Amino acid sequence: MKPQYQARQEAEREAKKDLVSQFTGILSALLPVLAILGVNFDWFTHEFIDSLGILISAIVAFVINAYTIYKNHYSGKQAKEQNKALKEQGLK
């Protein structure tokens, strides 16, 4: 049995992956609709949609990591005070 925190993190990761998958799925479904309407973009292909999905996933991962780094290293006044108190007590 997984701890609640780990299970929640996995569920959040899956939700983000599912959101990207749904977005690329909508674009893939839009492709034949545009073809039926006679609208044709040379660059709007399945390869472009797949690449866009990879790009969005990479951006989401980068933003999450950047936020985590910021939160862990450059957090607010309260966290700095807590860090100082831990160092004074020899706990850090």
Side-chain angles (χ1 to χ4, degrees), residues 17-27:
K17 287 179 186 177
D18 290 344
L19 185 62
V20 172
S21 296
Q22 289 174 354
F23 179 71
T24 56
I26 288 171
L27 290 178

Side-chain angles (χ1 to χ4, degrees), residues 16-86:
K16 290 172 185 139
K17 287 179 186 177
D18 290 344
L19 185 62
V20 172
S21 296
Q22 289 174 354
F23 179 71
T24 56
I26 288 171
L27 290 178
S28 295
L30 185 63
L31 200 62
V33 172
L34 290 175
I36 290 170
L37 295 174
V39 178
N40 188 15
F41 299 110
D42 293 334
W43 53 269
F44 193 62
T45 62
H46 283 288
E47 291 82 21
F48 172 77
I49 294 170
D50 292 340
S51 299
L52 188 62
I54 293 169
L55 177 65
I56 291 171
S57 296
I59 289 171
V60 167
F62 175 78
V63 168
I64 290 169
N65 285 324
Y67 176 75
T68 303
I69 290 169
Y70 170 78
K71 195 69 175 163
N72 287 335
H73 295 286
Y74 302 104
S75 49
K77 183 178 178 182
Q78 183 180 6
K80 290 178 184 178
E81 290 174 4
Q82 182 182 16
N83 189 20
K84 181 181 172 186
L86 288 173

